[in-house]
Coordinates of all heavy atoms in Angstrom, one line a residue:
Q1 N 5.6 -0.5 5.0 CA 4.9 -1.3 4.0 C 5.2 -2.8 4.1 O 6.4 -3.1 4.5 CB 5.2 -0.8 2.5 CG 4.8 0.6 2.2 CD 5.0 1.0 0.8 OE1 5.4 2.1 0.5 NE2 4.8 0.0 -0.1
S2 N 4.3 -3.6 3.7 CA 4.5 -5.1 3.6 C 3.7 -5.6 2.5 O 2.8 -5.0 2.0 CB 4.2 -5.8 4.9 OG 2.9 -5.6 5.3
G3 N 4.0 -6.8 2.1 CA 3.4 -7.4 0.9 C 4.2 -7.3 -0.3 O 5.4 -6.9 -0.2
G4 N 3.7 -7.6 -1.4 CA 4.4 -7.4 -2.7 C 5.1 -8.7 -3.0 O 5.0 -9.7 -2.3
G5 N 5.9 -8.7 -4.1 CA 6.6 -9.9 -4.5 C 6.3 -10.3 -6.0 O 5.8 -9.5 -6.7
L6 N 6.5 -11.5 -6.2 CA 6.3 -12.1 -7.6 C 5.0 -12.9 -7.6 O 4.8 -13.7 -6.8 CB 7.5 -13.0 -8.0 CG 7.4 -13.7 -9.3 CD1 7.3 -12.7 -10.5 CD2 8.5 -14.7 -9.5
V7 N 4.2 -12.6 -8.7 CA 3.0 -13.3 -8.8 C 2.7 -13.5 -10.3 O 3.2 -12.7 -11.1 CB 1.8 -12.5 -8.2 CG1 1.6 -11.2 -8.9 CG2 0.5 -13.3 -8.2
Q8 N 2.0 -14.6 -10.6 CA 1.7 -14.9 -12.0 C 0.5 -14.1 -12.5 O -0.3 -13.6 -11.7 CB 1.4 -16.4 -12.2 CG 2.6 -17.3 -11.9 CD 2.2 -18.8 -12.3 OE1 1.1 -19.1 -12.3 NE2 3.3 -19.6 -12.4
P9 N 0.5 -13.8 -13.8 CA -0.7 -13.1 -14.3 C -2.0 -13.8 -13.9 O -2.1 -15.0 -13.9 CB -0.5 -13.2 -15.8 CG 1.0 -13.3 -16.0 CD 1.4 -14.1 -14.8
G10 N -3.0 -13.0 -13.5 CA -4.2 -13.5 -13.0 C -4.3 -13.7 -11.5 O -5.3 -14.0 -10.9
G11 N -3.1 -13.6 -10.9 CA -3.0 -13.8 -9.4 C -3.4 -12.6 -8.6 O -3.8 -11.6 -9.1
S12 N -3.3 -12.8 -7.3 CA -3.7 -11.7 -6.3 C -2.5 -11.5 -5.3 O -1.8 -12.4 -5.0 CB -4.9 -12.1 -5.6 OG -6.0 -12.3 -6.4
L13 N -2.5 -10.2 -4.9 CA -1.6 -9.8 -3.8 C -2.3 -8.8 -2.9 O -3.2 -8.1 -3.4 CB -0.3 -9.2 -4.3 CG 0.8 -10.1 -4.9 CD1 1.9 -9.3 -5.5 CD2 1.3 -11.0 -3.8
R14 N -1.9 -8.7 -1.7 CA -2.4 -7.6 -0.8 C -1.2 -6.9 -0.2 O -0.3 -7.5 0.4 CB -3.3 -8.2 0.3 CG -3.9 -7.0 1.1 CD -4.9 -7.5 2.1 NE -4.2 -7.9 3.4 CZ -4.8 -7.9 4.5 NH1 -6.1 -7.5 4.6 NH2 -4.2 -8.2 5.6
L15 N -1.2 -5.6 -0.4 CA -0.2 -4.7 0.2 C -0.8 -4.1 1.5 O -2.0 -3.8 1.5 CB 0.2 -3.6 -0.8 CG 0.7 -4.1 -2.2 CD1 1.1 -2.8 -3.0 CD2 1.8 -5.0 -2.1
S16 N 0.1 -3.9 2.4 CA -0.3 -3.2 3.7 C 0.6 -2.1 4.0 O 1.8 -2.1 3.6 CB -0.3 -4.2 4.8 OG -1.1 -5.3 4.6
C17 N 0.1 -1.1 4.7 CA 0.9 0.1 5.0 C 0.4 0.6 6.4 O -0.7 1.0 6.5 CB 0.8 1.1 4.0 SG 1.5 2.7 4.4
T18 N 1.3 0.5 7.4 CA 0.9 0.9 8.7 C 1.7 2.1 9.1 O 2.9 2.2 9.0 CB 1.2 -0.2 9.7 OG1 0.4 -1.4 9.3 CG2 0.8 0.2 11.1
A19 N 1.0 3.1 9.7 CA 1.6 4.3 10.2 C 2.0 4.1 11.6 O 1.2 3.8 12.5 CB 0.7 5.5 10.0
S20 N 3.3 4.4 11.9 CA 3.8 4.3 13.3 C 4.0 5.8 13.8 O 4.2 6.7 13.0 CB 5.2 3.6 13.4 OG 6.1 4.3 12.6
G21 N 3.9 5.9 15.1 CA 3.9 7.3 15.6 C 2.5 7.9 15.6 O 1.5 7.3 15.1
S22 N 2.4 9.1 16.1 CA 1.1 9.7 16.3 C 0.7 10.4 15.0 O 1.5 11.2 14.5 CB 1.2 10.8 17.4 OG -0.1 11.4 17.5
I23 N -0.4 10.0 14.5 CA -0.9 10.6 13.2 C -2.4 11.0 13.4 O -3.2 10.1 13.7 CB -0.7 9.7 12.0 CG1 -1.0 10.4 10.7 CG2 -1.4 8.4 12.2 CD1 -0.5 9.7 9.5
V24 N -2.8 12.2 13.2 CA -4.1 12.7 13.4 C -4.6 13.4 12.2 O -3.8 13.8 11.3 CB -4.3 13.5 14.7 CG1 -3.9 12.7 15.9 CG2 -3.4 14.8 14.6
D25 N -5.9 13.7 12.2 CA -6.5 14.5 11.1 C -6.1 13.9 9.7 O -5.8 14.7 8.8 CB -6.1 15.9 11.2 CG -6.5 16.6 12.5 OD1 -7.6 16.2 13.0 OD2 -5.9 17.5 13.0
I26 N -6.3 12.6 9.6 CA -6.0 12.0 8.3 C -7.1 12.4 7.3 O -8.3 12.3 7.6 CB -6.0 10.4 8.4 CG1 -4.8 10.0 9.2 CG2 -5.9 9.8 7.0 CD1 -4.7 8.5 9.5
V27 N -6.7 12.8 6.1 CA -7.6 13.2 5.1 C -7.8 12.2 4.0 O -8.8 11.8 3.5 CB -7.2 14.6 4.4 CG1 -8.1 15.0 3.3 CG2 -7.1 15.6 5.5
T28 N -6.6 11.7 3.5 CA -6.6 10.6 2.5 C -5.6 9.6 2.8 O -4.6 9.8 3.5 CB -6.3 11.2 1.1 OG1 -5.0 11.7 1.1 CG2 -7.3 12.2 0.7
M29 N -5.8 8.4 2.3 CA -4.9 7.3 2.4 C -4.9 6.6 1.0 O -6.0 6.4 0.5 CB -5.3 6.2 3.5 CG -5.6 6.9 4.8 SD -6.2 5.7 6.0 CE -4.7 4.9 6.6
G30 N -3.7 6.2 0.5 CA -3.8 5.7 -0.8 C -2.5 5.1 -1.3 O -1.5 4.9 -0.5
W31 N -2.5 4.7 -2.5 CA -1.4 4.0 -3.1 C -1.0 4.7 -4.5 O -1.9 5.0 -5.3 CB -1.7 2.6 -3.4 CG -1.9 1.8 -2.1 CD1 -3.1 1.8 -1.4 CD2 -1.0 1.1 -1.3 NE1 -2.9 1.0 -0.2 CE2 -1.6 0.6 -0.2 CE3 0.4 0.9 -1.5 CZ2 -0.9 -0.1 0.8 CZ3 1.1 0.1 -0.6 CH2 0.4 -0.4 0.6
Y32 N 0.3 4.8 -4.7 CA 0.9 5.2 -6.0 C 1.7 4.0 -6.5 O 2.1 3.1 -5.7 CB 1.7 6.4 -5.9 CG 1.0 7.7 -5.8 CD1 0.1 8.0 -4.8 CD2 1.1 8.7 -6.8 CE1 -0.6 9.2 -4.7 CE2 0.5 9.9 -6.7 CZ -0.4 10.1 -5.7 OH -1.1 11.3 -5.6
R33 N 2.1 4.1 -7.8 CA 3.0 3.1 -8.3 C 3.9 3.8 -9.3 O 3.5 4.8 -10.0 CB 2.4 1.9 -8.9 CG 1.5 2.2 -10.2 CD 0.8 0.9 -10.6 NE 0.0 1.1 -11.8 CZ -0.8 0.2 -12.3 NH1 -1.0 -1.0 -11.7 NH2 -1.6 0.4 -13.3
Q34 N 5.1 3.2 -9.5 CA 6.1 3.7 -10.5 C 6.7 2.6 -11.2 O 7.4 1.7 -10.6 CB 7.2 4.6 -9.8 CG 8.1 5.2 -10.8 CD 9.0 6.3 -10.1 OE1 9.1 6.3 -8.9 NE2 9.5 7.2 -10.9
A35 N 6.3 2.5 -12.5 CA 6.9 1.5 -13.4 C 8.2 1.9 -13.9 O 8.5 3.1 -14.0 CB 5.9 1.1 -14.5

């Protein structure tokens, strides 16, 4: 993963997530969060 950090309310951020290694038959890709 990359991205994230501190941002002011109303601002924007982009998170990235790259899979290394061989990955096939992908069904879903997504994001979770834990406060």
Side-chain angles (χ1 to χ4, degrees):
Q1 297 185 218
S2 62
L6 174 64
V7 63
Q8 292 187 343
S12 298
L13 283 174
R14 189 176 81 156
L15 306 182
S16 301
C17 172
T18 300
S20 64
S22 177
I23 186 167
V24 296
D25 297 331
I26 295 175
V27 178
T28 63
M29 308 174 83
W31 295 88
Y32 281 62
R33 67 185 178 187
Q34 186 167 18

